[in-house]
């Protein structure tokens, strides 16, 4: 009876270790940059990386809404900017369409297999 319990406990421990070893230390920071009414969106998002993460190998994606209207994916660009720090990166989200609503919402996703996401709600300033 006791050996069956030890076997189950050992299997559970091994499974949890495997899950923890495959997890990422990816974190998404606060959005930076002013969002100006009448100007195209230009937003930067700091991304904290784990020791095993490489910013150039990660997948980044964003859905941008001006008010309740989603911009076409072809009008939104997401790119990784070079960083001087080894465990961080800066991701730039831009849109070619001028901001025409007082509220901009960005749904930002990072990671290829295991995605993390964050919703940014931004109020515009007058240019």
């Amino acid at each position: 009876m006791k050996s069956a319990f030890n076997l189950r406990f050992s299997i559970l421990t091994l499974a949890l270790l495997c899950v923890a070893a495959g997890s990422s230390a990816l974190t998404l920071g606060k959005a930076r940059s002013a969002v100006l009414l009448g100007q195209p969106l230009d937003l930067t998002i700091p991304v904290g990386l784990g020791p095993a993460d490489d910013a150039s190998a990660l997948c980044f994606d964003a859905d941008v809404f001006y008010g309740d209207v989603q911009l076409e994916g072809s009008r939104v660009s997401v790119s990784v900017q070079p960083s001087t720090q080894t465990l961080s990166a800066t991701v730039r989200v831009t849109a070619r369409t001028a901001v025409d609503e007082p509220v901009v919402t960005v749904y930002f996703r990072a990671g290829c297999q295991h995605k993390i996401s964050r919703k940014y709600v931004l109020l515009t300033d007058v240019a």
Side-chain angles (χ1 to χ4, degrees):
M1 180 79 109
K2 195 172 189 177
S3 65
F5 175 76
N6 286 341
L7 179 62
R8 283 189 216 151
F9 183 75
S10 297
I11 291 172
L12 179 63
T13 302
L14 182 63
L16 290 174
L17 284 173
C18 289
V19 169
S23 66
S24 175
L26 203 62
T27 58
L28 304 177
K30 289 183 177 182
R32 299 181 189 155
S33 303
V35 178
L36 302 174
L37 197 60
Q39 298 294 319
L41 179 70
D42 189 358
L43 188 69
T44 57
I45 299 171
V47 177
L49 305 172
D53 293 326
D54 178 15
S56 62
L58 291 174
C59 305
F60 296 103
D61 186 31
D63 293 326
V64 177
F65 290 79
Y66 290 173
D68 292 331
V69 178
Q70 183 177 2
L71 296 181
E72 293 178 26
S74 62
R75 297 196 171 277
V76 177
S77 173
V78 179
S79 60
V80 179
Q81 303 296 304
S83 178
T84 57
Q85 299 176 357
T86 57
L87 294 179
S88 70
T90 301
V91 178
R92 187 174 177 195
V93 178
T94 57
R96 290 183 269 167
T97 306
V99 175
D100 61 357
E101 291 286 336
V103 177
V104 173
T105 305
V106 177
Y107 293 93
F108 183 73
R109 291 172 299 282
C112 298
Q113 290 179 339
H114 304 287
K115 291 188 181 283
I116 62 168
S117 63
R118 185 163 180 187
K119 176 182 176 183
Y120 298 93
V121 178
L122 310 155
L123 299 177
T124 59
D125 290 329
V126 178

